[in-house]
Amino acid sequence: MSAKPTVAVFDTKPYDREYLTKSPGSEAIEWLFLEVRLDARTARAAENALAVCIFVNDDCQRDTLQQLARAGVKHVALRCAGFNNVDLKAARELGITVSRVPSYSPHAVAEHTIALILALNRKIHRAFNRVRELNFSLSGLVGFDMHGKTVGVVGTGKIGRIAAEILHGFGMKVLAYDVYPDPAWAAARCVEYVDLETLFRESDIVSLHTPLTKETEHLIRAETLALMKPGVVIVNVSRGGLIDTAALIESLKTGHVSGVALDVYEEEEGVFFEDLSGTLLQDDVLARLLTFPNVLITAHQAFLTEEALGEISRVTIENLRRISVQEAFLEGTQV
Ligand code: NAD
């Protein structure tokens, strides 16, 4: 048996392996990289591991945790911020420590928001495909100047603020709404806090940056879409559940919404992050969304920068080193 503690990494993608193995302190760990996602059936793959390292779509409910405890696992290290996929109560009862990476790079997510807005508005996704086919026609590729337009930023936390500041740099008027507004920040950055209805009524672009909670679920739905300007553009890099997708599709069909950029989708689990190119798409709602030329979708990749992956790996290893309960675990290593 190896002298180093083993950490079983579930749902491993090539970039996880690359960044985890090159982060400081990595050499003190025996990594067991597994492509399979964690659930009650696959938990036994962690046999003799001291810890498991998991991501957003791994299932860590009670039955999985029981299997992990039986396998000798003492620590679940999430390499993401959200922890809705872990039964914390069960983990506590079973003596399993849970850790996560609460913040890695808000710049990564804010910058992806801007990338989506620019690509959607200037129809870069369509132009790219056309030019590759030697179609150099510009018909149907007319965009609009961002300068002078109004953007409504819903949620001015770490990510929303950075997005608002960048968009202000384009010469846009920035409206914002947050349940906990920060008037000093807004005054310094020429951002105007308004109520949600005003934001919806006056914005040319609405960008969502709140967490998914009971209050924010289906924030964008038929009745809020009806408040918005004809031709509004909607951007969501936060959580799919913020938008009622069926209502969004109806507004796209009438042309009331002129463009949609999404990095998240209500039913993304089991679809996003996977290569399904050889299969038949079973989600009819997603299939319909994909038919619109004015809908641009990325598969939850806003976090995917070198800096964010480096920080996720650094903090995950730090968490493994600090929190693990076994005395020998990484003791004496310099992280
Ligand atoms: P944050 O906690 O710093 O900011 C969230 C803001 O939303 C806070 O200011 C909070 O007051 C506000 N808020 C909460 N409830 C609200 C409500 N009902 N109405 C209006 N505002 C409300 O979070 P963050 O780091 O800026 O991240 C925002 C969201 O981005 C996360 O919750 C997550 O869902 C999403 N995210 C997506 C990716 C990705 O790769 N696509 C990566 C990281 C985060």
Side-chain angles (χ1 to χ4, degrees):
M1 205 172 122
S2 167
K4 294 179 188 177
T6 298
V7 176
V9 184
F10 283 85
D11 201 9
T12 307
K13 301 287 186 262
Y15 47 82
D16 295 317
R17 182 190 290 252
E18 181 191 338
Y19 280 84
L20 282 169
T21 52
K22 75 180 182 191
S23 283
S26 171
E27 63 286 351
I29 295 172
E30 187 69 44
W31 297 104
L32 175 62
F33 290 107
L34 303 162
E35 286 180 20
V36 71
R37 271 190 263 151
L38 175 65
D39 60 27
R41 288 170 306 134
T42 59
R44 69 174 59 168
E47 193 75 44
N48 296 325
L50 202 57
V52 293
C53 178
I54 67 168
F55 197 51
V56 295
N57 287 327
D58 289 300
D59 163 55
C60 218
Q61 299 308 322
R62 181 177 288 275
D63 49 351
T64 307
L65 287 161
Q66 283 167 340
Q67 296 294 338
L68 290 177
R70 246 171 250 145
V73 170
K74 305 284 185 211
H75 182 179
V76 171
L78 289 142
R79 53 182 189 281
C80 54
F83 50 91
N84 51 298
N85 50 338
V86 181
D87 183 337
L88 293 177
K89 186 166 174 280
R92 201 176 305 118
E93 286 168 16
L94 291 161
I96 295 178
T97 312
V98 180
S99 66
R100 68 183 181 121
V101 185
S103 173
Y104 32 93
S105 172
H107 293 280
V109 185
E111 289 172 15
H112 191 75
T113 309
I114 309 304
L116 285 176
I117 293 173
L118 288 173
L120 178 71
N121 171 25
R122 303 306 297 269
K123 302 168 175 54
I124 305 297
H125 53 305
R126 299 180 65 199
F128 176 79
N129 286 331
R130 272 193 201 183
V131 169
R132 286 174 68 89
E133 299 281 321
L134 306 186
N135 175 355
F136 301 104
S137 158
L138 302 183
S139 301
L141 299 186
V142 180
F144 60 82
D145 283 11
M146 308 263 286
H147 183 271
K149 299 293 187 303
T150 300
V151 61
V153 175
V154 186
T156 53
K158 294 182 284 296
I159 296 167
R161 277 174 201 229
I162 297 169
E165 290 166 17
I166 299 172
L167 291 165
H168 180 251
F170 280 98
M172 298 193 81
K173 177 178 177 181
V174 183
L175 302 180
Y177 171 75
D178 196 298
V179 278
Y180 297 107
D182 181 346
W185 166 78
R189 299 294 182 166
C190 303
V191 172
E192 187 187 342
Y193 277 111
V194 293
D195 60 67
L196 197 54
E197 183 172 333
T198 305
L199 184 147
F200 286 151
R201 284 192 191 283
E202 295 187 6
S203 299
D204 299 293
I205 301 173
V206 173
S207 193
L208 305 178
H209 300 282
T210 64
L212 177 62
T213 62
K214 275 190 195 119
E215 292 72 39
T216 60
E217 189 177 8
H218 287 185
L219 189 73
I220 305 297
R221 55 187 183 278
E223 65 200 63
T224 51
L225 284 162
L227 298 173
M228 295 183 199
K229 280 185 178 179
V232 67
V233 169
I234 294 174
V235 186
N236 185 11
V237 296
S238 284
R239 283 293 177 265
L242 298 181
I243 296 182
D244 176 349
T245 316
L248 185 70
I249 287 172
E250 286 310 308
S251 292
L252 277 161
K253 281 162 72 178
T254 63
H256 182 67
V257 170
S258 73
V260 172
L262 303 175
D263 189 50
V264 287
Y265 164 61
E266 276 189 286
E267 305 296 335
E268 69 180 51
E269 200 183 325
V271 178
F272 283 13
F273 306 116
E274 306 301 332
D275 178 1
L276 302 181
S277 55
T279 68
L280 300 172
L281 182 59
Q282 297 299 319
D283 183 331
D284 292 349
V285 177
L286 179 59
R288 182 66 178 101
L289 268 182
L290 290 169
T291 65
F292 292 101
N294 51 346
V295 173
L296 180 56
I297 300 178
T298 51
H300 209 136
Q301 75 174 72
F303 74 100
L304 200 67
T305 65
E306 292 174 9
E307 290 76 7
L309 289 171
E311 186 62 5
I312 287 169
S313 297
R314 187 189 69 74
V315 175
T316 299
I317 291 173
E318 182 80 9
N319 288 341
L320 286 163
R321 188 181 73 85
R322 280 195 185 168
I323 300 174
S324 187
V325 293
Q326 194 169 72
E327 274 179 21
F329 191 60
L330 298 188
E331 268 303 295
T333 58
Q334 301 294 312
V335 177

